[in-house]
Amino acid sequence: MKPLSIAMTSAALAGALAGLEAPVCAQGAQPAASARAHKESPLACDRLALSPAERKRHFEELGPALLARKTGVRELTDGYALSFPPDAATLRMVAEWALQERACCPFLDIAIALEREGGPLWLRLTGRKGVKEFIAADAAAWIGKQQGPAR
Amino acid sequence: MTRHGRAAASALAAAALAASACAPGTEGGSRGRAAPDFALASLGGGTVALADLRGKVVLLHFWATWCAPCKVETPRLVDLDRRYRSAGLAILAVSMDDAGHEQAAAAFAAAHGVTFPVLRGTADIARAYGGARLLPTSVLIGRDGALLETIAGLPGEHELEAAVRRALARPGG
């Protein structure tokens, strides 16, 4: 059996941030794939997507905190999957980070998954051709350690 | 051209760039207009003014240390500088990092072996060049000071070099 896969919309992620009470699960769903089928953002960061305070939170607080909590990484054909402890606090942090990241980098596919039977929390970062290269350039510290179960 | 004339041309150029800056690989509708002048502080000391570079092809590169695509592009710029500086290319990196991150920008440049000036970006220059909302954004300016091309986002591996070669080969500037 496949692990439970959770695809979160922005609203659901916001709910998750508010207290994990929103109905965030949609098994096997892809977030609004048809609506964005023909939209392709450039491989660029939106400088105005985050305020300086939000940027500080993203890069200087959440990023290092999540890096410290990372338990594994898997290389995928089109990106990387990072694993974390599946506790609520970490899920909130991952969700907050993901919301900020998608605002800044709309070309990224970001998926958050909780494996069944108490398995790890996965943050999957993928995208079209070229995205994996930039993830590797940006997150060498995040992906330098190859471990975790095959998925 | 009078000062007012230049200001008007710059404003038109900025407006045209603003309209085109969000598309990847865009050639701005402002092509041929005078590039807005600027004088920016260099992280290495001193000030660099666009007017001082007349006669060179200027590659104005907006970036930030936190911008992942910029990290991919920086080594390509270093390579372009090494190969085309003697042909008349002048690369200017404009750091759009938040205030207080100048040291981080300088450290980034040093770590990547950056050999061209790194300037401290301002809201004014961003506005003048269409907002520079997307990072990286590269603006090519001809030897005569005319705006040639704007590429918003990470270009294909050889796209920027092709644009530089076109600019260097452009007749009359």
Side-chain angles (χ1 to χ4, degrees):
Chain A
M1 288 179 63
K2 292 181 179 177
L4 173 62
S5 180
I6 304 173
M8 290 182 170
T9 64
S10 298
L13 280 167
L17 285 172
L20 297 175
E21 294 175 350
V24 297
C25 299
Q27 196 163 359
Q30 293 296 318
S34 59
R36 59 174 170 76
H38 298 292
K39 182 177 180 182
E40 192 167 83
S41 300
L43 293 180
C45 296
D46 185 341
R47 184 171 66 86
L48 305 180
L50 303 179
S51 68
E54 289 170 329
R55 196 155 29 241
K56 179 179 172 62
R57 168 75 173 155
H58 187 75
F59 289 103
E60 298 177 24
E61 295 173 14
L62 284 174
L66 287 173
L67 180 59
R69 294 184 183 211
K70 186 195 75 172
T71 56
V73 58
R74 277 194 50 78
E75 183 174 358
L76 309 173
T77 57
D78 55 354
Y80 295 89
L82 309 169
S83 63
F84 299 92
D87 60 90
T90 304
L91 177 57
R92 287 191 191 94
M93 290 172 61
V94 168
E96 182 183 1
W97 183 92
L99 277 173
Q100 294 169 342
E101 187 70 11
R102 82 188 300 262
C104 177
C105 302
F107 55 86
L108 272 178
D109 283 318
I110 303 176
I112 298 173
L114 287 167
E115 256 188 47
R116 62 184 168 84
E117 307 292 356
L121 161 64
W122 287 92
L123 171 65
R124 197 162 46 235
L125 304 172
T126 58
R128 67 179 189 264
K129 185 180 178 184
V131 168
K132 184 177 180 179
E133 179 190 17
F134 106 77
I135 295 173
D138 186 46
W142 291 71
I143 63 178
K145 191 176 176 183
Q146 299 287 320
Q147 61 180 49
R151 301 181 69 226
Chain B
M1 191 181 288
T2 65
R3 176 183 294 181
H4 292 302
R6 283 196 300 272
S10 296
L12 283 170
L17 274 170
S20 65
C22 284
T26 294
E27 294 183 359
S30 55
R31 168 182 281 203
R33 297 189 187 279
D37 203 3
F38 59 81
L40 294 175
S42 170
L43 295 184
T47 299
V48 175
L50 179 62
D52 296 337
L53 296 170
R54 189 61 62 93
K56 294 182 180 294
V57 168
V58 175
L59 173 54
L60 193 60
H61 181 73
F62 294 90
W63 68 287
T65 55
W66 47 263
C67 159
C70 301
K71 294 176 185 174
V72 174
E73 189 161 35
T74 298
R76 299 178 185 173
L77 293 173
V78 171
D79 186 52
L80 284 177
D81 185 49
R82 180 180 58 80
R83 293 164 58 203
Y84 293 102
R85 181 187 288 226
S86 61
L89 176 66
I91 300 177
L92 300 176
V94 181
S95 167
M96 298 307 295
D97 282 283
D98 296 319
H101 288 72
E102 291 80 6
Q103 282 192 337
F108 177 98
H112 286 77
V114 168
T115 46
F116 39 82
V118 179
L119 312 179
R120 188 174 357 180
T122 63
D124 284 345
I125 190 172
R127 199 162 32 245
Y129 282 86
R133 176 167 188 153
L134 298 181
L135 300 179
T137 286
S138 296
V139 181
L140 269 168
I141 301 168
R143 297 180 196 272
D144 57 355
L147 287 167
L148 300 181
E149 297 189 41
T150 297
I151 300 175
L154 181 66
E157 189 171 355
H158 303 294
E159 185 183 344
L160 188 57
E161 179 178 2
V164 165
R165 291 173 67 94
R166 279 194 300 274
L168 289 169
R170 184 167 165 259

